Amino acid sequence: MTLTSMRPAEAGEHIPPTGRPWISRPAEAFTAAALRERLIGNIRSWRDYPPSLRVWFWLVPALTSLVGGILRFVRLDSPHSLVFDETYYVKDAYSYLVSGYERRWPDKANDSFNAGNPAILLDSPEYVVHPPVGKWMIAGGMWLFGSDNPFGWRFGAALTGTLSVLLLTLIALKLFRSLPLAAAAGLLLAVDGHHLVMSRTSLLDIFLMFWVLAAFGALLLDRDDGRRRLAARLARRAAVSTAGRPSARQLLAGPWLGIRWWRLAAGASMGLAVGTKWSGLFFLAGFGVLTVLWDLNARRVAGIRGWISGGIIKDGLPAFASMVPVAVLVYTATWTGWFRSEDAYFRRWAEDNPSAGWGWLPDPLRSLAHYHLEAYKFHQGLGSEHPYEASAWSWLVMGRPTSFFYQQPGPETSECDVARCASAILSVGNPLIWWTAAISLVVLLFWWAGRRDWRAGAILAGMGAGYLPWFLYPERTMFFFYAVSFEPFLILALVYCLGLVLGREGDPLWRRRSGLYLVALFIAAAVLLSAYFYPLWTAETMPYQEWRYRMWMPSWI
């Protein structure tokens, strides 16, 4: 299996060398089989394969997830202290466990927290500018394994990172219909350092990435489900017609497709993404446009004459109703802890500030709206200098990765047996993966524009929603680790190009074999390079000179 699937010729068809029929009988154009072929191709269920091959549909996702889990959970408690922005989110998560909202901490609270004594919360509320979901997910690990140890702090992030490897493997299998390419996608994400670092430290961005990826996967399932429904409903109408096709009126706009359950799931996932970080709003907008464009094209391919107006009315409006209100409801529900509190920040603001124009709105909702307005003002004015700030222009080449942790143990410590050592956590990705993936984006642009490959367009939509909006805020302080939200799409772009190298099923044997060798060589090189950089991602103590060897660019220091 490769990027395309083949099917046998049917009677009466002329099959060109590409394997696709040039013509088919008009009387068969609206049969269920013909419609499904036009709309979704020859998609086979995993149950249709022989048992010897069927087992790999389980093994490949399981094995890539196992690799990802081992890399993320081994030595997860190192370093034994809060690193970088864990100082905010881990302590906020503990506050959630205690009271359901953020409370203030005394001075030098990190020392007490690192010593295993987090129970020093003050009674006054704390003002924060990020929604609750990611902090609740951190709190889940602390509830399971305790708040007094780094494993508990980071369990939620490590589990989420591992599950995202599983999700990406399944998504790649859905996109490319290829077990080798699905394995490549999962393995490349599992061994990449940037994703690994974000999975081993409790910042919010790994949780944002997970819910965005879940929404994308749900929309992929909805794409096929919607096209199957469209094929079935048109076929039923054609079957009762003497002409063997739907009437002109029925083909004017096409049928309604009913409740799209996978779209509801995508809306819920996007609500959780926005509930982690507001940058999830860009993904909600991008994915909403993407799924409507898929439906418009489906109606065009199916033979519906008014496919634009019919698609907008019968697909676009239901898509909005399925995703946006659901996302809003889920997002609002994530603030339940704040709603149930008595003294959370701004919780009683509306009671102290009556409004003639907005008095009809319940006080808790008006207070929450004010909270969001103040947080938006904060984000708009966030422009303070930071030694590891990185412009979005530099992200794809990893011009300035973020240092989460750095120490220089000396020979007096048990970890260092030379004159000078280093222990670091640097959120730099695997250079081979990131730099080739950046080039792959250019290839995808050509294949999307020139070949109209919807898979290339879908990957680019995810990249664009996660990356391009940051260029709207050039004055804002930004960091490279924000890029983890779109990293899965970067990996998919790279795997798409690996599929081109691998070749098609109809290619000559020498072409397929050489393509397989090249792909295997690339994957092996990426894994070996990750092994080389692994100490730099996991705070392993190494001789200082070894640390310097891994600083490939001066801006990484």
Side-chain angles (χ1 to χ4, degrees):
M1 292 178 294
T2 57
L3 281 173
T4 59
S5 59
M6 307 288 287
R7 66 180 180 87
E10 297 178 359
E13 292 181 336
H14 180 82
I15 304 299
T18 60
R20 295 183 179 180
W22 288 341
I23 58 174
S24 61
R25 291 192 180 96
E28 299 174 353
F30 286 93
T31 63
L35 284 165
R36 282 197 302 271
E37 174 68 23
R38 293 208 303 272
L39 291 171
I40 60 176
N42 187 24
I43 295 180
R44 299 170 63 186
S45 169
W46 65 275
R47 297 181 181 87
D48 298 330
Y49 292 91
S52 60
L53 181 60
R54 191 185 308 166
V55 67
W56 289 100
F57 285 88
W58 297 94
L59 278 179
V60 165
L63 290 175
T64 56
S65 302
L66 179 63
V67 172
I70 291 173
L71 294 176
R72 281 149 184 79
F73 280 100
V74 172
R75 296 181 62 253
L76 182 60
D77 59 348
S78 181
H80 299 277
S81 61
L82 297 169
V83 299
F84 198 58
D85 281 355
E86 283 186 336
T87 185
Y88 305 114
Y89 306 127
V90 170
K91 290 188 295 185
D92 285 346
Y94 176 78
S95 182
Y96 275 31
L97 287 177
V98 174
S99 58
Y101 64 94
E102 297 91 344
R103 284 161 50 181
R104 294 180 64 86
W105 293 82
D107 293 338
K108 298 183 178 180
N110 281 11
D111 295 336
S112 180
F113 211 98
N114 292 336
N117 179 29
I120 55 173
L121 271 173
L122 303 178
D123 292 331
S124 55
E126 178 67 281
Y127 176 62
V128 298
V129 294
H130 288 302
V133 171
K135 288 168 279 189
W136 277 117
M137 295 178 75
I138 296 171
M142 299 170 76
W143 178 73
L144 287 172
F145 298 100
S147 306
D148 58 351
N149 65 91
F151 187 87
W153 308 341
R154 297 171 186 147
F155 176 83
L159 179 62
T160 301
T162 303
L163 290 176
S164 65
V165 173
L166 172 63
L167 262 182
L168 187 67
T169 306
L170 295 173
I171 286 171
L173 186 58
K174 184 70 176 174
L175 272 177
F176 305 128
R177 307 181 201 174
S178 167
L179 283 168
L181 294 181
L187 185 61
L188 290 174
L189 187 66
V191 303
D192 179 65
H194 186 237
H195 191 272
L196 180 65
V197 168
M198 299 306 295
S199 302
R200 292 174 59 92
T201 49
S202 285
L203 274 64
L204 301 181
D205 301 80
I206 192 71
F207 305 109
L208 168 65
M209 180 276 307
F210 174 80
W211 292 117
V212 165
L213 193 59
F216 183 73
L219 290 178
L220 283 179
L221 293 172
D222 172 76
R223 181 183 185 274
D224 284 355
D225 178 62
R227 291 178 173 230
R228 288 191 185 97
R229 293 189 190 196
L230 181 62
R233 297 188 183 198
L234 286 175
R236 282 199 299 268
R237 295 180 181 185
V240 299
S241 171
T242 57
R245 56 181 296 162
S247 66
R249 180 180 178 183
Q250 291 170 337
L251 288 178
L252 182 61
W256 294 92
L257 300 182
I259 299 175
R260 307 274 286 269
W261 299 106
W262 284 114
R263 263 191 186 151
L264 293 175
S269 296
M270 288 312 309
L272 293 169
V274 179
T276 303
K277 272 191 151 184
W278 286 356
S279 53
L281 286 169
F282 297 112
F283 286 100
L284 176 60
F287 288 172
V289 172
L290 178 66
T291 188
V292 172
L293 290 176
W294 283 346
D295 282 346
L296 290 176
N297 185 61
R299 289 179 181 265
R300 179 187 66 83
V301 172
I304 295 170
R305 290 180 294 173
W307 56 274
I308 296 179
S309 58
I312 292 174
I313 295 172
K314 296 189 175 183
D315 291 321
L317 296 180
F320 181 90
S322 299
M323 293 180 63
V324 176
V326 171
V328 171
L329 288 174
V330 170
Y331 175 82
T332 305
T334 66
W335 288 84
T336 299
W338 184 89
F339 281 120
R340 296 185 62 184
S341 70
E342 294 294 329
D343 58 347
Y345 212 92
F346 284 140
R347 177 64 182 81
R348 300 295 176 184
W349 180 87
E351 298 175 11
D352 299 333
N353 297 270
S355 171
W358 295 95
W360 56 272
L361 197 65
D363 284 348
L365 290 178
R366 197 158 64 87
S367 296
L368 185 63
H370 177 74
Y371 193 122
H372 282 62
L373 179 61
E374 293 300 312
Y376 177 76
K377 292 178 181 177
F378 171 85
H379 284 295
Q380 286 291 93
L382 187 61
S384 58
E385 292 186 3
H386 192 282
Y388 285 98
E389 63 181 307
S391 167
W393 291 104
S394 69
W395 290 357
L396 292 182
V397 295
M398 302 186 297
R400 184 59 170 166
T402 311
S403 176
F404 284 14
F405 174 82
Y406 182 80
Q407 284 185 349
Q408 288 188 340
E412 69 278 1
T413 63
S414 59
E415 297 88 1
C416 183
D417 56 2
V418 295
R420 190 181 180 189
C421 292
S423 176
I425 298 177
L426 186 68
S427 70
V428 65
N430 181 310
L432 180 60
I433 294 175
W434 275 76
W435 293 343
T436 54
I439 298 172
S440 298
L441 293 175
V442 180
V443 177
L444 258 69
L445 280 171
F446 281 101
W447 276 78
W448 173 61
R451 298 293 186 94
R452 298 294 192 271
D453 191 333
W454 69 271
R455 293 165 296 188
I459 296 168
L460 291 172
M463 271 295 304
Y467 186 38
L468 296 181
W470 292 106
F471 292 97
L472 301 175
Y473 309 99
E475 302 301 323
R476 191 186 189 280
T477 303
M478 292 177 283
F479 299 92
F480 169 65
F481 65 82
Y482 294 172
V484 77
S485 66
F486 61 76
E487 181 173 351
F489 301 99
L490 201 61
I491 297 292
L492 288 174
L494 174 56
V495 172
Y496 184 101
C497 291
L498 291 179
L500 298 178
V501 174
L502 196 59
R504 301 173 181 270
E505 289 185 357
D507 289 340
L509 179 60
W510 67 267
R511 169 67 179 83
R512 295 278 293 166
R513 184 173 295 171
S514 60
L516 179 62
Y517 290 158
L518 287 174
V519 170
L521 180 63
F522 179 88
I523 298 296
V527 171
L528 290 175
L529 190 58
S530 286
Y532 177 72
F533 276 95
Y534 185 77
L536 190 65
W537 301 328
T538 58
E540 288 188 4
T541 301
M542 69 187 95
Y544 178 79
Q545 192 59 43
E546 290 294 325
W547 172 80
R548 286 292 308 219
Y549 287 152
R550 290 164 173 82
M551 297 294 103
W552 284 11
M553 297 173 65
S555 59
W556 290 6
I557 300 175

